[in-house]
Amino acid sequence: MHHYVMEDSIDNVKNCLRDFPKEARELYLNETVPYLERPPSALQFYREWIGPNKPCIIRNAFDHWPALSKWNPTYLREAVGSKVISVAVTPNGYADAVLGDRFVMPEERQMTFSSLLDVIEGKVKSGGVFYVQKQCSNLTEELPELTEDIEPHIPWMSEALGKSPDAVNFWLGESRAVTSMHKDHYENLYCVVSGEKHFILLPPSDRPFIPYELYQPAVYSLKEDGSFEVVDEDNSEKVPWIPLDPLKPDLEKYPSYRLAKPLHCTVRAGEMLYLPSLWFHHVRQSHGCIAVNFWYDMEYDIKYNYFRLLESVAGAVGPL
């Protein structure tokens, strides 16, 4: 008898977890990512987008940046060609992603900006896929010469949140470089300077449909013959990561994902995506796309608290 009561209770919880995302969609989520034709006031942005935790694409938000007209390969070679930067290199374009039973991080290669451009422009054939994706404010830390071409922060966002960005990051990569699905604890303003980025977005309320598993962390290492091997990081705790690829989800293995409702959007040169904290995202780009993003730390408020509860319950009851 007791066994059946227990199963009934778990079924009830699973039903609640299925209804929760549906209700979120009915109450406040958009079916597509809306466009704003100009940047809003700080108060308006907080009320309509940050508070409700909803993404949008903002046009004409950084038209005044010199970077929009200046950042081509010729200028970048002159301005920062000799600078040594961190570049993520992988055999397949998947950095920080699940490979079999491992969570594999890229080889972090130090190279000059010019030699990176040689690879991206096809002047040099190279084994592996290259992507400047190092966070921790790599624009201000590694490429300070470029900061005059952009703003150090986004004034209306800094005013809305009452803080400066934690990091300003520079992104440049090959079209084969893919960012696997994950979430961040930042309010993210993602500005595409040239080319375009393709995002797949899932709201935090879809967490019950998104599989997480624990993986042994490892890193790609370049061998002398030019091939890559996967080397385990010893004494490292296992990493929780999403094994599912939203481009070709394995619905036999992860049937709950059928209930998720991903949003697809393309952010083009001159457009800015507001990617709210805790939204799951998967990113691809056109070849040689350049972007800058501003990470503002999120508020660890009751929304965060509720999300943690949702995550714990979803983890406890297992697949839906």
Side-chain angles (χ1 to χ4, degrees):
M1 177 70 187
H2 181 71
H3 178 66
Y4 292 118
V5 171
M6 190 72 176
E7 279 195 1
D8 279 354
S9 302
I10 289 176
D11 284 344
N12 286 339
V13 174
K14 286 186 174 185
N15 285 335
C16 292
L17 287 173
R18 279 191 207 101
D19 289 343
F20 178 81
K22 204 160 59 184
E23 194 172 30
R25 280 194 281 275
E26 286 165 6
L27 286 172
Y28 78 97
L29 285 170
N30 299 101
E31 289 188 4
T32 56
V33 179
Y35 284 85
L36 310 184
E37 286 306 318
R38 66 192 57 80
S41 71
L43 180 59
Q44 185 188 12
F45 195 69
Y46 195 89
R47 281 182 179 160
E48 293 179 16
W49 305 101
I50 301 171
N53 192 246
K54 287 162 63 166
C56 61
I57 295 171
I58 308 158
R59 292 182 168 135
N60 306 306
F62 55 101
D63 294 0
H64 52 293
W65 287 10
L68 271 178
S69 55
K70 285 168 76 172
W71 284 7
N72 57 46
T74 309
Y75 172 77
L76 291 170
R77 280 180 194 277
E78 282 173 18
V80 289
S82 60
K83 293 297 293 270
V84 175
I85 54 165
S86 290
V87 181
V89 188
T90 59
N92 55 9
Y94 282 80
D96 301 328
V98 171
L99 179 77
D101 60 353
R102 296 286 188 270
F103 169 73
V104 191
M105 291 165 281
E107 178 209 351
E108 286 282 351
R109 195 175 299 180
Q110 302 295 305
M111 59 197 294
T112 64
F113 206 99
S114 285
S115 53
L116 169 71
L117 287 172
D118 287 344
V119 171
I120 286 178
E121 291 183 273
K123 293 178 178 173
V124 169
K125 282 279 171 281
S126 185
V129 179
F130 290 65
Y131 194 17
V132 180
Q133 57 139 41
K134 191 178 175 71
Q135 291 104 47
C136 58
S137 219
N138 67 338
L139 182 70
T140 49
E141 296 299 312
E142 296 187 336
L143 300 165
E145 297 83 354
L146 297 180
T147 52
E148 287 179 10
D149 298 336
I150 64 161
E151 284 175 293
H153 69 125
I154 304 296
W156 44 268
M157 185 65 156
S158 300
E159 188 186 336
L161 294 170
K163 61 178 94 169
S164 298
D166 277 38
V168 184
N169 303 311
F170 177 92
W171 308 78
L172 169 62
E174 299 186 66
S175 57
R176 289 179 296 157
V178 172
T179 304
S180 72
M181 188 138 76
H182 70 290
K183 66 180 189 306
D184 300 307
H185 53 271
Y186 292 109
E187 307 295 349
N188 188 350
L189 289 179
Y190 204 101
C191 309
V192 176
V193 174
S194 70
E196 55 187 44
K197 292 263 179 181
H198 310 287
F199 286 83
I200 299 173
L201 306 178
L202 285 154
S205 49
D206 272 3
R207 173 62 182 85
F209 309 142
I210 296 170
Y212 265 87
E213 288 168 23
L214 286 172
Y215 296 93
Q216 162 68 41
V219 69
Y220 282 116
S221 177
L222 190 65
K223 296 200 293 192
E224 279 186 18
D225 66 0
S227 67
F228 286 86
E229 60 182 342
V230 173
V231 180
D232 282 352
E233 293 219 309
D234 293 331
N235 308 320
S236 289
E237 283 187 19
K238 290 201 165 182
V239 174
W241 207 258
I242 300 167
L244 178 132
D245 180 354
L247 295 172
K248 43 178 194 302
D250 183 343
L251 297 175
E252 293 210 343
K253 198 170 182 185
Y254 308 111
S256 308
Y257 188 72
R258 286 177 210 276
L259 300 168
K261 288 270 191 331
L263 300 179
H264 293 254
C265 68
T266 297
V267 186
R268 295 177 173 83
E271 295 178 341
M272 171 193 284
L273 171 68
Y274 166 54
L275 176 56
S277 54
L278 305 178
W279 273 66
F280 297 91
H281 51 288
H282 172 282
V283 196
R284 290 165 296 151
Q285 68 242 320
S286 60
H287 193 75
C289 172
I290 300 177
V292 172
N293 86 300
F294 297 81
W295 263 347
Y296 289 82
D297 205 7
M298 71 175 288
E299 292 296 328
Y300 292 89
D301 54 11
I302 195 161
K303 277 189 300 189
Y304 177 74
N305 221 197
Y306 280 139
F307 177 76
R308 293 280 297 174
L309 175 66
L310 177 68
E311 192 156 57
S312 308
V313 175
V317 301
L320 303 183

